[in-house]
Every structure is written in C-alpha cells, then in structure tokens.
Amino acid sequence: LEYFFLSDTEAAVPAVARSLAHMAGKNRDKVEWGQFQYCTSGTKLLARLIVLASVPQEGGRGIHILRFLLKFSHNINRHLVDVWEARFPLLLHFLEQHKDNVELGQWQDWLLALV
C-alpha cells in the first residue's frame, strides 16, 4: 500500500494495484493501518487512489485501481461495500470500452460522485 504514496514509484501503480486486487480477493483480513508510514488510514488511501484513478489511461491504472478498491472496500469503510458493488461494474465497463479515449472531465466527475 505504501507504493501508492511514493512519487518515484508512480509508474508501478498499475502493476501494484493489479497485484493487490488479486491478493485482496483471497485475503479478507482487516488491515492494521498503524503499521504503515504513509498509508495510515483507509480515508488517506481512498483519497490517493481517487487522484491516481482520475487519469485512468496511464498503464490502464484506472481499471486496476477500481478492481482493487472494490475488493478492499471493507477495509476502507464497511458502508461503501454495497454502494461500490453497485457502481463499480459500470465504471469498469466504461473503462474497458474506452481504454484509449476517456473524456477526463466526465470521468473525474463520476469518480468524485463515489465519495
């Protein structure tokens, strides 16, 4: 999770998010936020990932970030799980259909509507 907060590892975000989404799907344990230096809360992680996902085409990171958030939502806020399970499939479908051509203004509005 710390890699999301380091600017010199930003190019690795798609791979990190994809790997974490895979791991989060298999491991539903509660995260101990105190073990991290930069990623100290679910709210802080959510804010950082929304910023990163706001430009979704870079390495396909938007798709991987949303998949990770969907599987990890119980660690961010248990009340988000049902809402995100309803909305994320539509956002993921949109990104899959528009991999190379996303209208950023509209996309960013949709992301902000999630929080």
Side-chain angles (χ1 to χ4, degrees), residues 70-90:
L70 185 58
K71 293 179 181 178
F72 196 73
S73 59
H74 65 281
N75 278 298
I76 295 172
N77 183 321
R78 62 184 171 89
H79 300 291
L80 294 174
V81 175
D82 291 336
V83 173
W84 285 2
E85 284 178 353
R87 294 187 184 171
F88 274 35
L90 297 171

Side-chain angles (χ1 to χ4, degrees), residues 41-86:
S41 71
T43 305
K44 192 171 181 180
L45 176 64
L46 175 60
R48 178 63 177 152
L49 291 178
I50 292 293
V51 168
L52 290 170
S54 70
V55 183
Q57 297 100 331
E58 290 189 32
R61 70 184 183 189
I63 290 173
H64 300 304
I65 288 171
L66 290 182
R67 286 184 179 146
F68 168 65
L69 284 173
L70 185 58
K71 293 179 181 178
F72 196 73
S73 59
H74 65 281
N75 278 298
I76 295 172
N77 183 321
R78 62 184 171 89
H79 300 291
L80 294 174
V81 175
D82 291 336
V83 173
W84 285 2
E85 284 178 353

